[in-house]
Amino acid sequence: MVSVLIAAIAAAQAPPTKSAVPSTRSLEQLAESGHCREALPLLKTAVARATDPETKKRLGLDGVHCGMAIHDLDTAAGFIRGLNGTFSNDPEVLYLTVHVYSDLSISASQKLMVSAPTSYQVRLLNAEALEAQGKWDDAITEYREVLKRNPNLPGIHDRVGRLLLAGPKTDANKQGARREFEEELKVDPSNAGAEYILGELARQSQQFPAAIEHFERATKLDSGFADAFIGLGRTLLEAGRNADALAPLQKAEKLRPDNPAAHLYLGTAYSRAGNKEEAKREFALHEEASAKVRQMKQEIETGVPGSQQSAEPQKAAH
């Protein structure tokens, strides 16, 4: 194995001719034999020179495994970034990506708890962990502790509000969530999501003028927020302002042509405006988009993969 190591190093240091490049097999042997510290710089060079996709992938994967083996997570992440650039949909690459970034996350959280155990960031991590475990009441308690120390920290009232809405559908939770989102906007007036949820809560209570104001602010804060345009258009319809509903719903359709709700409410707006032809077209598009959503859900539930194109998020059409 020493001869393999010497030959590989010599080849990597030589000019980049075909005969000087270490063979893929020799690099694999070097990595698999536990000589990862020696192999990593050679693997970086070999990956950069490789032209065959399969060879580039194998060398990159060896680099990831070696980096993780010697706890050099930065180097492992570098190989992962390169692999994702070329093999973004490869299952093996994606699987390793999860593990590398998971290890990076664990390593960073451990350092944080050791170096700053009393910081609000530690409580924030704990709250996020509780939230991920479904322990929402405990998570809310932790988030509130964070707010006691940092009342002007953006995003925390927003998280509490969302957790309250995810819990039992009681009037108390809705009122509590509304207060949290209102407090969030005092801290961060640019939070379009908070405006949107306040608009939806107002709409559900048939407080249409307030809902319209919130939805309008959300669309101004984020011009690509399709759900906010849908919420605005839907509320205008429910308030009887059918003509005013057309513009936001047309915008929503352009942003998210795959969203069934955009077509449904736009079709309703056209129908009430007397444009039966456009209404018919939108209702047909609603059925088509709904069918695609049902198919995707079924494929996810049954584990049957759809086409790569349909699985990837669509860009907004302009």
Side-chain angles (χ1 to χ4, degrees), residues 81-120:
R81 285 192 293 271
L83 286 166
N84 275 278
T86 308
F87 309 100
S88 58
N89 294 317
D90 186 282
E92 191 172 8
V93 171
L94 293 172
Y95 177 79
L96 268 182
T97 300
V98 172
H99 280 277
V100 169
Y101 286 116
S102 175
D103 286 357
L104 277 170
S105 175
I106 292 170
S107 175
S109 63
Q110 289 172 342
K111 289 180 182 178
L112 174 61
M113 285 185 281
V114 170
S115 62
T118 61
S119 65
Y120 80 84

PDB file of all heavy atoms in Angstrom, residues 81-120:
ATOM      1  N   ARG A  81     -20.746  19.833  -2.479  1.00  0.00           N
ATOM      2  CA  ARG A  81     -21.183  20.950  -3.333  1.00  0.00           C
ATOM      3  C   ARG A  81     -20.841  20.681  -4.794  1.00  0.00           C
ATOM      4  O   ARG A  81     -21.638  20.958  -5.693  1.00  0.00           O
ATOM      5  CB  ARG A  81     -20.541  22.254  -2.854  1.00  0.00           C
ATOM      6  CG  ARG A  81     -21.149  22.806  -1.584  1.00  0.00           C
ATOM      7  CD  ARG A  81     -20.680  24.233  -1.319  1.00  0.00           C
ATOM      8  NE  ARG A  81     -19.255  24.288  -1.017  1.00  0.00           N
ATOM      9  CZ  ARG A  81     -18.744  24.163   0.203  1.00  0.00           C
ATOM     10  NH1 ARG A  81     -19.552  23.973   1.234  1.00  0.00           N
ATOM     11  NH2 ARG A  81     -17.436  24.245   0.396  1.00  0.00           N
ATOM     12  N   GLY A  82     -19.655  20.133  -5.024  1.00  0.00           N
ATOM     13  CA  GLY A  82     -19.273  19.809  -6.398  1.00  0.00           C
ATOM     14  C   GLY A  82     -20.155  18.732  -7.001  1.00  0.00           C
ATOM     15  O   GLY A  82     -20.576  18.823  -8.160  1.00  0.00           O
ATOM     16  N   LEU A  83     -20.458  17.696  -6.208  1.00  0.00           N
ATOM     17  CA  LEU A  83     -21.302  16.608  -6.699  1.00  0.00           C
ATOM     18  C   LEU A  83     -22.717  17.101  -6.998  1.00  0.00           C
ATOM     19  O   LEU A  83     -23.326  16.718  -7.996  1.00  0.00           O
ATOM     20  CB  LEU A  83     -21.353  15.478  -5.662  1.00  0.00           C
ATOM     21  CG  LEU A  83     -20.090  14.625  -5.546  1.00  0.00           C
ATOM     22  CD1 LEU A  83     -20.130  13.780  -4.273  1.00  0.00           C
ATOM     23  CD2 LEU A  83     -19.931  13.718  -6.768  1.00  0.00           C
ATOM     24  N   ASN A  84     -23.241  17.964  -6.128  1.00  0.00           N
ATOM     25  CA  ASN A  84     -24.593  18.467  -6.350  1.00  0.00           C
ATOM     26  C   ASN A  84     -24.665  19.372  -7.572  1.00  0.00           C
ATOM     27  O   ASN A  84     -25.724  19.491  -8.201  1.00  0.00           O
ATOM     28  CB  ASN A  84     -25.092  19.217  -5.108  1.00  0.00           C
ATOM     29  CG  ASN A  84     -25.709  18.281  -4.087  1.00  0.00           C
ATOM     30  OD1 ASN A  84     -26.868  17.911  -4.210  1.00  0.00           O
ATOM     31  ND2 ASN A  84     -24.936  17.887  -3.093  1.00  0.00           N
ATOM     32  N   GLY A  85     -23.544  20.007  -7.907  1.00  0.00           N
ATOM     33  CA  GLY A  85     -23.539  20.831  -9.101  1.00  0.00           C
ATOM     34  C   GLY A  85     -23.653  20.022 -10.376  1.00  0.00           C
ATOM     35  O   GLY A  85     -24.213  20.483 -11.372  1.00  0.00           O
ATOM     36  N   THR A  86     -23.134  18.790 -10.343  1.00  0.00           N
ATOM     37  CA  THR A  86     -23.132  17.948 -11.542  1.00  0.00           C
ATOM     38  C   THR A  86     -24.182  16.855 -11.492  1.00  0.00           C
ATOM     39  O   THR A  86     -24.757  16.487 -12.519  1.00  0.00           O
ATOM     40  CB  THR A  86     -21.741  17.305 -11.720  1.00  0.00           C
ATOM     41  OG1 THR A  86     -20.734  18.319 -11.665  1.00  0.00           O
ATOM     42  CG2 THR A  86     -21.645  16.577 -13.054  1.00  0.00           C
ATOM     43  N   PHE A  87     -24.446  16.342 -10.293  1.00  0.00           N
ATOM     44  CA  PHE A  87     -25.370  15.212 -10.143  1.00  0.00           C
ATOM     45  C   PHE A  87     -26.481  15.579  -9.163  1.00  0.00           C
ATOM     46  O   PHE A  87     -26.697  14.917  -8.150  1.00  0.00           O
ATOM     47  CB  PHE A  87     -24.607  13.975  -9.637  1.00  0.00           C
ATOM     48  CG  PHE A  87     -23.368  13.642 -10.427  1.00  0.00           C
ATOM     49  CD1 PHE A  87     -22.113  14.015  -9.966  1.00  0.00           C
ATOM     50  CD2 PHE A  87     -23.461  12.967 -11.631  1.00  0.00           C
ATOM     51  CE1 PHE A  87     -20.965  13.715 -10.682  1.00  0.00           C
ATOM     52  CE2 PHE A  87     -22.328  12.655 -12.363  1.00  0.00           C
ATOM     53  CZ  PHE A  87     -21.074  13.040 -11.887  1.00  0.00           C
ATOM     54  N   SER A  88     -27.185  16.645  -9.465  1.00  0.00           N
ATOM     55  CA  SER A  88     -28.135  17.222  -8.511  1.00  0.00           C
ATOM     56  C   SER A  88     -29.318  16.321  -8.185  1.00  0.00           C
ATOM     57  O   SER A  88     -29.943  16.471  -7.139  1.00  0.00           O
ATOM     58  CB  SER A  88     -28.654  18.565  -9.030  1.00  0.00           C
ATOM     59  OG  SER A  88     -29.273  18.398 -10.296  1.00  0.00           O
ATOM     60  N   ASN A  89     -29.638  15.372  -9.059  1.00  0.00           N
ATOM     61  CA  ASN A  89     -30.785  14.492  -8.821  1.00  0.00           C
ATOM     62  C   ASN A  89     -30.379  13.055  -8.539  1.00  0.00           C
ATOM     63  O   ASN A  89     -31.225  12.165  -8.498  1.00  0.00           O
ATOM     64  CB  ASN A  89     -31.732  14.512 -10.029  1.00  0.00           C
ATOM     65  CG  ASN A  89     -32.392  15.871 -10.217  1.00  0.00           C
ATOM     66  OD1 ASN A  89     -32.824  16.491  -9.246  1.00  0.00           O
ATOM     67  ND2 ASN A  89     -32.462  16.344 -11.446  1.00  0.00           N
ATOM     68  N   ASP A  90     -29.092  12.818  -8.324  1.00  0.00           N
ATOM     69  CA  ASP A  90     -28.604  11.461  -8.080  1.00  0.00           C
ATOM     70  C   ASP A  90     -28.946  11.031  -6.648  1.00  0.00           C
ATOM     71  O   ASP A  90     -28.578  11.720  -5.692  1.00  0.00           O
ATOM     72  CB  ASP A  90     -27.093  11.416  -8.298  1.00  0.00           C
ATOM     73  CG  ASP A  90     -26.545  10.011  -8.192  1.00  0.00           C
ATOM     74  OD1 ASP A  90     -26.383   9.509  -7.061  1.00  0.00           O
ATOM     75  OD2 ASP A  90     -26.274   9.394  -9.241  1.00  0.00           O
ATOM     76  N   PRO A  91     -29.627   9.900  -6.448  1.00  0.00           N
ATOM     77  CA  PRO A  91     -30.045   9.473  -5.101  1.00  0.00           C
ATOM     78  C   PRO A  91     -28.875   9.290  -4.140  1.00  0.00           C
ATOM     79  O   PRO A  91     -28.964   9.653  -2.963  1.00  0.00           O
ATOM     80  CB  PRO A  91     -30.765   8.142  -5.351  1.00  0.00           C
ATOM     81  CG  PRO A  91     -31.172   8.172  -6.774  1.00  0.00           C
ATOM     82  CD  PRO A  91     -30.129   8.977  -7.488  1.00  0.00           C
ATOM     83  N   GLU A  92     -27.775   8.706  -4.631  1.00  0.00           N
ATOM     84  CA  GLU A  92     -26.626   8.478  -3.759  1.00  0.00           C
ATOM     85  C   GLU A  92     -26.021   9.800  -3.301  1.00  0.00           C
ATOM     86  O   GLU A  92     -25.650   9.960  -2.131  1.00  0.00           O
ATOM     87  CB  GLU A  92     -25.581   7.635  -4.498  1.00  0.00           C
ATOM     88  CG  GLU A  92     -24.466   7.112  -3.606  1.00  0.00           C
ATOM     89  CD  GLU A  92     -23.559   6.129  -4.322  1.00  0.00           C
ATOM     90  OE1 GLU A  92     -23.703   5.963  -5.555  1.00  0.00           O
ATOM     91  OE2 GLU A  92     -22.704   5.532  -3.646  1.00  0.00           O
ATOM     92  N   VAL A  93     -25.936  10.745  -4.209  1.00  0.00           N
ATOM     93  CA  VAL A  93     -25.402  12.062  -3.867  1.00  0.00           C
ATOM     94  C   VAL A  93     -26.328  12.772  -2.883  1.00  0.00           C
ATOM     95  O   VAL A  93     -25.872  13.351  -1.889  1.00  0.00           O
ATOM     96  CB  VAL A  93     -25.211  12.910  -5.135  1.00  0.00           C
ATOM     97  CG1 VAL A  93     -24.867  14.354  -4.776  1.00  0.00           C
ATOM     98  CG2 VAL A  93     -24.114  12.319  -6.019  1.00  0.00           C
ATOM     99  N   LEU A  94     -27.615  12.712  -3.117  1.00  0.00           N
ATOM    100  CA  LEU A  94     -28.568  13.368  -2.230  1.00  0.00           C
ATOM    101  C   LEU A  94     -28.555  12.735  -0.845  1.00  0.00           C
ATOM    102  O   LEU A  94     -28.650  13.433   0.178  1.00  0.00           O
ATOM    103  CB  LEU A  94     -29.973  13.310  -2.832  1.00  0.00           C
ATOM    104  CG  LEU A  94     -30.169  14.135  -4.107  1.00  0.00           C
ATOM    105  CD1 LEU A  94     -31.534  13.850  -4.714  1.00  0.00           C
ATOM    106  CD2 LEU A  94     -30.020  15.627  -3.813  1.00  0.00           C
ATOM    107  N   TYR A  95     -28.428  11.421  -0.797  1.00  0.00           N
ATOM    108  CA  TYR A  95     -28.382  10.722   0.491  1.00  0.00           C
ATOM    109  C   TYR A  95     -27.167  11.177   1.300  1.00  0.00           C
ATOM    110  O   TYR A  95     -27.262  11.487   2.490  1.00  0.00           O
ATOM    111  CB  TYR A  95     -28.328   9.213   0.249  1.00  0.00           C
ATOM    112  CG  TYR A  95     -28.196   8.385   1.509  1.00  0.00           C
ATOM    113  CD1 TYR A  95     -29.305   8.127   2.310  1.00  0.00           C
ATOM    114  CD2 TYR A  95     -26.962   7.870   1.891  1.00  0.00           C
ATOM    115  CE1 TYR A  95     -29.189   7.371   3.471  1.00  0.00           C
ATOM    116  CE2 TYR A  95     -26.831   7.109   3.050  1.00  0.00           C
ATOM    117  CZ  TYR A  95     -27.952   6.866   3.830  1.00  0.00           C
ATOM    118  OH  TYR A  95     -27.830   6.116   4.975  1.00  0.00           O
ATOM    119  N   LEU A  96     -26.016  11.219   0.638  1.00  0.00           N
ATOM    120  CA  LEU A  96     -24.809  11.668   1.327  1.00  0.00           C
ATOM    121  C   LEU A  96     -24.901  13.140   1.726  1.00  0.00           C
ATOM    122  O   LEU A  96     -24.386  13.550   2.766  1.00  0.00           O
ATOM    123  CB  LEU A  96     -23.585  11.454   0.441  1.00  0.00           C
ATOM    124  CG  LEU A  96     -22.846  10.126   0.611  1.00  0.00           C
ATOM    125  CD1 LEU A  96     -21.629  10.081  -0.296  1.00  0.00           C
ATOM    126  CD2 LEU A  96     -22.426   9.897   2.047  1.00  0.00           C
ATOM    127  N   THR A  97     -25.567  13.947   0.905  1.00  0.00           N
ATOM    128  CA  THR A  97     -25.738  15.364   1.215  1.00  0.00           C
ATOM    129  C   THR A  97     -26.468  15.526   2.541  1.00  0.00           C
ATOM    130  O   THR A  97     -26.085  16.349   3.384  1.00  0.00           O
ATOM    131  CB  THR A  97     -26.527  16.065   0.095  1.00  0.00           C
ATOM    132  OG1 THR A  97     -25.803  15.945  -1.140  1.00  0.00           O
ATOM    133  CG2 THR A  97     -26.733  17.540   0.408  1.00  0.00           C
ATOM    134  N   VAL A  98     -27.530  14.747   2.727  1.00  0.00           N
ATOM    135  CA  VAL A  98     -28.276  14.791   3.981  1.00  0.00           C
ATOM    136  C   VAL A  98     -27.358  14.500   5.162  1.00  0.00           C
ATOM    137  O   VAL A  98     -27.370  15.203   6.184  1.00  0.00           O
ATOM    138  CB  VAL A  98     -29.446  13.783   3.955  1.00  0.00           C
ATOM    139  CG1 VAL A  98     -30.097  13.686   5.335  1.00  0.00           C
ATOM    140  CG2 VAL A  98     -30.474  14.178   2.914  1.00  0.00           C
ATOM    141  N   HIS A  99     -26.532  13.471   5.029  1.00  0.00           N
ATOM    142  CA  HIS A  99     -25.679  13.074   6.149  1.00  0.00           C
ATOM    143  C   HIS A  99     -24.580  14.095   6.425  1.00  0.00           C
ATOM    144  O   HIS A  99     -24.271  14.381   7.590  1.00  0.00           O
ATOM    145  CB  HIS A  99     -25.078  11.693   5.880  1.00  0.00           C
ATOM    146  CG  HIS A  99     -26.021  10.576   6.177  1.00  0.00           C
ATOM    147  ND1 HIS A  99     -26.199  10.063   7.440  1.00  0.00           N
ATOM    148  CD2 HIS A  99     -26.881   9.893   5.374  1.00  0.00           C
ATOM    149  CE1 HIS A  99     -27.106   9.107   7.419  1.00  0.00           C
ATOM    150  NE2 HIS A  99     -27.540   8.988   6.167  1.00  0.00           N
ATOM    151  N   VAL A 100     -23.980  14.636   5.389  1.00  0.00           N
ATOM    152  CA  VAL A 100     -22.910  15.610   5.593  1.00  0.00           C
ATOM    153  C   VAL A 100     -23.447  16.857   6.297  1.00  0.00           C
ATOM    154  O   VAL A 100     -22.881  17.322   7.300  1.00  0.00           O
ATOM    155  CB  VAL A 100     -22.243  16.000   4.257  1.00  0.00           C
ATOM    156  CG1 VAL A 100     -21.319  17.204   4.439  1.00  0.00           C
ATOM    157  CG2 VAL A 100     -21.446  14.829   3.702  1.00  0.00           C
ATOM    158  N   TYR A 101     -24.549  17.396   5.791  1.00  0.00           N
ATOM    159  CA  TYR A 101     -25.075  18.613   6.397  1.00  0.00           C
ATOM    160  C   TYR A 101     -25.685  18.344   7.774  1.00  0.00           C
ATOM    161  O   TYR A 101     -25.678  19.217   8.652  1.00  0.00           O
ATOM    162  CB  TYR A 101     -26.072  19.283   5.464  1.00  0.00           C
ATOM    163  CG  TYR A 101     -25.384  19.962   4.303  1.00  0.00           C
ATOM    164  CD1 TYR A 101     -25.585  19.553   2.992  1.00  0.00           C
ATOM    165  CD2 TYR A 101     -24.473  20.994   4.528  1.00  0.00           C
ATOM    166  CE1 TYR A 101     -24.929  20.158   1.930  1.00  0.00           C
ATOM    167  CE2 TYR A 101     -23.815  21.605   3.478  1.00  0.00           C
ATOM    168  CZ  TYR A 101     -24.044  21.183   2.184  1.00  0.00           C
ATOM    169  OH  TYR A 101     -23.379  21.796   1.143  1.00  0.00           O
ATOM    170  N   SER A 102     -26.172  17.122   7.987  1.00  0.00           N
ATOM    171  CA  SER A 102     -26.647  16.744   9.316  1.00  0.00           C
ATOM    172  C   SER A 102     -25.484  16.717  10.300  1.00  0.00           C
ATOM    173  O   SER A 102     -25.585  17.229  11.423  1.00  0.00           O
ATOM    174  CB  SER A 102     -27.327  15.379   9.264  1.00  0.00           C
ATOM    175  OG  SER A 102     -27.699  14.952  10.567  1.00  0.00           O
ATOM    176  N   ASP A 103     -24.360  16.138   9.881  1.00  0.00           N
ATOM    177  CA  ASP A 103     -23.175  16.098  10.743  1.00  0.00           C
ATOM    178  C   ASP A 103     -22.642  17.508  11.009  1.00  0.00           C
ATOM    179  O   ASP A 103     -22.211  17.821  12.122  1.00  0.00           O
ATOM    180  CB  ASP A 103     -22.080  15.238  10.107  1.00  0.00           C
ATOM    181  CG  ASP A 103     -22.394  13.750  10.203  1.00  0.00           C
ATOM    182  OD1 ASP A 103     -23.419  13.407  10.816  1.00  0.00           O
ATOM    183  OD2 ASP A 103     -21.617  12.938   9.652  1.00  0.00           O
ATOM    184  N   LEU A 104     -22.665  18.355   9.974  1.00  0.00           N
ATOM    185  CA  LEU A 104     -22.239  19.742  10.158  1.00  0.00           C
ATOM    186  C   LEU A 104     -23.140  20.449  11.173  1.00  0.00           C
ATOM    187  O   LEU A 104     -22.660  21.199  12.029  1.00  0.00           O
ATOM    188  CB  LEU A 104     -22.283  20.484   8.820  1.00  0.00           C
ATOM    189  CG  LEU A 104     -21.085  20.316   7.897  1.00  0.00           C
ATOM    190  CD1 LEU A 104     -21.400  20.898   6.526  1.00  0.00           C
ATOM    191  CD2 LEU A 104     -19.846  21.004   8.481  1.00  0.00           C
ATOM    192  N   SER A 105     -24.432  20.189  11.079  1.00  0.00           N
ATOM    193  CA  SER A 105     -25.384  20.809  11.993  1.00  0.00           C
ATOM    194  C   SER A 105     -25.142  20.346  13.423  1.00  0.00           C
ATOM    195  O   SER A 105     -25.122  21.156  14.358  1.00  0.00           O
ATOM    196  CB  SER A 105     -26.809  20.460  11.557  1.00  0.00           C
ATOM    197  OG  SER A 105     -27.757  20.944  12.490  1.00  0.00           O
ATOM    198  N   ILE A 106     -24.942  19.045  13.594  1.00  0.00           N
ATOM    199  CA  ILE A 106     -24.696  18.504  14.935  1.00  0.00           C
ATOM    200  C   ILE A 106     -23.399  19.065  15.512  1.00  0.00           C
ATOM    201  O   ILE A 106     -23.334  19.457  16.681  1.00  0.00           O
ATOM    202  CB  ILE A 106     -24.650  16.968  14.887  1.00  0.00           C
ATOM    203  CG1 ILE A 106     -26.040  16.415  14.554  1.00  0.00           C
ATOM    204  CG2 ILE A 106     -24.151  16.398  16.213  1.00  0.00           C
ATOM    205  CD1 ILE A 106     -26.050  14.930  14.254  1.00  0.00           C
ATOM    206  N   SER A 107     -22.370  19.107  14.685  1.00  0.00           N
ATOM    207  CA  SER A 107     -21.077  19.622  15.138  1.00  0.00           C
ATOM    208  C   SER A 107     -21.185  21.082  15.574  1.00  0.00           C
ATOM    209  O   SER A 107     -20.665  21.471  16.633  1.00  0.00           O
ATOM    210  CB  SER A 107     -20.044  19.489  14.014  1.00  0.00           C
ATOM    211  OG  SER A 107     -18.812  20.072  14.381  1.00  0.00           O
ATOM    212  N   ALA A 108     -21.873  21.895  14.768  1.00  0.00           N
ATOM    213  CA  ALA A 108     -22.016  23.316  15.099  1.00  0.00           C
ATOM    214  C   ALA A 108     -22.848  23.507  16.367  1.00  0.00           C
ATOM    215  O   ALA A 108     -22.533  24.372  17.203  1.00  0.00           O
ATOM    216  CB  ALA A 108     -22.654  24.057  13.932  1.00  0.00           C
ATOM    217  N   SER A 109     -23.916  22.713  16.521  1.00  0.00           N
ATOM    218  CA  SER A 109     -24.753  22.854  17.712  1.00  0.00           C
ATOM    219  C   SER A 109     -23.996  22.450  18.968  1.00  0.00           C
ATOM    220  O   SER A 109     -24.153  23.078  20.029  1.00  0.00           O
ATOM    221  CB  SER A 109     -26.029  22.009  17.569  1.00  0.00           C
ATOM    222  OG  SER A 109     -25.723  20.628  17.479  1.00  0.00           O
ATOM    223  N   GLN A 110     -23.148  21.422  18.869  1.00  0.00           N
ATOM    224  CA  GLN A 110     -22.335  21.022  20.016  1.00  0.00           C
ATOM    225  C   GLN A 110     -21.349  22.117  20.399  1.00  0.00           C
ATOM    226  O   GLN A 110     -21.153  22.407  21.582  1.00  0.00           O
ATOM    227  CB  GLN A 110     -21.607  19.717  19.698  1.00  0.00           C
ATOM    228  CG  GLN A 110     -22.530  18.509  19.635  1.00  0.00           C
ATOM    229  CD  GLN A 110     -21.829  17.262  19.127  1.00  0.00           C
ATOM    230  OE1 GLN A 110     -20.762  17.325  18.500  1.00  0.00           O
ATOM    231  NE2 GLN A 110     -22.422  16.105  19.401  1.00  0.00           N
ATOM    232  N   LYS A 111     -20.722  22.722  19.400  1.00  0.00           N
ATOM    233  CA  LYS A 111     -19.794  23.822  19.676  1.00  0.00           C
ATOM    234  C   LYS A 111     -20.524  24.995  20.325  1.00  0.00           C
ATOM    235  O   LYS A 111     -20.000  25.649  21.233  1.00  0.00           O
ATOM    236  CB  LYS A 111     -19.123  24.282  18.380  1.00  0.00           C
ATOM    237  CG  LYS A 111     -18.109  23.300  17.819  1.00  0.00           C
ATOM    238  CD  LYS A 111     -17.497  23.842  16.533  1.00  0.00           C
ATOM    239  CE  LYS A 111     -16.503  22.864  15.923  1.00  0.00           C
ATOM    240  NZ  LYS A 111     -15.937  23.370  14.645  1.00  0.00           N
ATOM    241  N   LEU A 112     -21.744  25.266  19.843  1.00  0.00           N
ATOM    242  CA  LEU A 112     -22.519  26.372  20.397  1.00  0.00           C
ATOM    243  C   LEU A 112     -22.839  26.120  21.866  1.00  0.00           C
ATOM    244  O   LEU A 112     -22.703  27.020  22.706  1.00  0.00           O
ATOM    245  CB  LEU A 112     -23.809  26.558  19.594  1.00  0.00           C
ATOM    246  CG  LEU A 112     -24.816  27.593  20.119  1.00  0.00           C
ATOM    247  CD1 LEU A 112     -24.186  28.981  20.157  1.00  0.00           C
ATOM    248  CD2 LEU A 112     -26.073  27.598  19.249  1.00  0.00           C
ATOM    249  N   MET A 113     -23.255  24.902  22.194  1.00  0.00           N
ATOM    250  CA  MET A 113     -23.633  24.603  23.571  1.00  0.00           C
ATOM    251  C   MET A 113     -22.436  24.637  24.514  1.00  0.00           C
ATOM    252  O   MET A 113     -22.571  24.965  25.691  1.00  0.00           O
ATOM    253  CB  MET A 113     -24.321  23.238  23.629  1.00  0.00           C
ATOM    254  CG  MET A 113     -25.746  23.263  23.091  1.00  0.00           C
ATOM    255  SD  MET A 113     -26.643  21.719  23.271  1.00  0.00           S
ATOM    256  CE  MET A 113     -25.966  20.767  21.922  1.00  0.00           C
ATOM    257  N   VAL A 114     -21.258  24.317  23.983  1.00  0.00           N
ATOM    258  CA  VAL A 114     -20.050  24.346  24.808  1.00  0.00           C
ATOM    259  C   VAL A 114     -19.529  25.777  24.956  1.00  0.00           C
ATOM    260  O   VAL A 114     -19.155  26.208  26.053  1.00  0.00           O
ATOM    261  CB  VAL A 114     -18.951  23.442  24.207  1.00  0.00           C
ATOM    262  CG1 VAL A 114     -17.617  23.657  24.918  1.00  0.00           C
ATOM    263  CG2 VAL A 114     -19.360  21.981  24.287  1.00  0.00           C
ATOM    264  N   SER A 115     -19.511  26.513  23.864  1.00  0.00           N
ATOM    265  CA  SER A 115     -18.914  27.849  23.878  1.00  0.00           C
ATOM    266  C   SER A 115     -19.838  28.928  24.431  1.00  0.00           C
ATOM    267  O   SER A 115     -19.381  29.926  24.981  1.00  0.00           O
ATOM    268  CB  SER A 115     -18.468  28.239  22.461  1.00  0.00           C
ATOM    269  OG  SER A 115     -19.587  28.292  21.585  1.00  0.00           O
ATOM    270  N   ALA A 116     -21.166  28.747  24.274  1.00  0.00           N
ATOM    271  CA  ALA A 116     -22.109  29.782  24.748  1.00  0.00           C
ATOM    272  C   ALA A 116     -23.374  29.131  25.295  1.00  0.00           C
ATOM    273  O   ALA A 116     -24.469  29.307  24.755  1.00  0.00           O
ATOM    274  CB  ALA A 116     -22.450  30.736  23.609  1.00  0.00           C
ATOM    275  N   PRO A 117     -23.251  28.365  26.387  1.00  0.00           N
ATOM    276  CA  PRO A 117     -24.393  27.591  26.887  1.00  0.00           C
ATOM    277  C   PRO A 117     -25.563  28.440  27.372  1.00  0.00           C
ATOM    278  O   PRO A 117     -26.693  27.957  27.430  1.00  0.00           O
ATOM    279  CB  PRO A 117     -23.788  26.774  28.038  1.00  0.00           C
ATOM    280  CG  PRO A 117     -22.583  27.548  28.463  1.00  0.00           C
ATOM    281  CD  PRO A 117     -22.049  28.174  27.214  1.00  0.00           C
ATOM    282  N   THR A 118     -25.311  29.693  27.740  1.00  0.00           N
ATOM    283  CA  THR A 118     -26.392  30.540  28.252  1.00  0.00           C
ATOM    284  C   THR A 118     -26.941  31.494  27.196  1.00  0.00           C
ATOM    285  O   THR A 118     -27.775  32.345  27.507  1.00  0.00           O
ATOM    286  CB  THR A 118     -25.894  31.357  29.454  1.00  0.00           C
ATOM    287  OG1 THR A 118     -24.802  32.202  29.029  1.00  0.00           O
ATOM    288  CG2 THR A 118     -25.418  30.447  30.573  1.00  0.00           C
ATOM    289  N   SER A 119     -26.499  31.361  25.951  1.00  0.00           N
ATOM    290  CA  SER A 119     -26.955  32.268  24.897  1.00  0.00           C
ATOM    291  C   SER A 119     -28.389  31.959  24.494  1.00  0.00           C
ATOM    292  O   SER A 119     -28.886  30.834  24.669  1.00  0.00           O
ATOM    293  CB  SER A 119     -26.042  32.149  23.675  1.00  0.00           C
ATOM    294  OG  SER A 119     -26.152  30.857  23.104  1.00  0.00           O
ATOM    295  N   TYR A 120     -29.049  32.971  23.951  1.00  0.00           N
ATOM    296  CA  TYR A 120     -30.430  32.744  23.495  1.00  0.00           C
ATOM    297  C   TYR A 120     -30.461  31.787  22.312  1.00  0.00           C
ATOM    298  O   TYR A 120     -31.468  31.104  22.076  1.00  0.00           O
ATOM    299  CB  TYR A 120     -31.113  34.068  23.144  1.00  0.00           C
ATOM    300  CG  TYR A 120     -30.777  34.629  21.785  1.00  0.00           C
ATOM    301  CD1 TYR A 120     -31.448  34.201  20.640  1.00  0.00           C
ATOM    302  CD2 TYR A 120     -29.797  35.616  21.627  1.00  0.00           C
ATOM    303  CE1 TYR A 120     -31.141  34.724  19.387  1.00  0.00           C
ATOM    304  CE2 TYR A 120     -29.492  36.137  20.392  1.00  0.00           C
ATOM    305  CZ  TYR A 120     -30.162  35.688  19.273  1.00  0.00           C
ATOM    306  OH  TYR A 120     -29.869  36.199  18.035  1.00  0.00           O
TER     307      TYR A 120
END
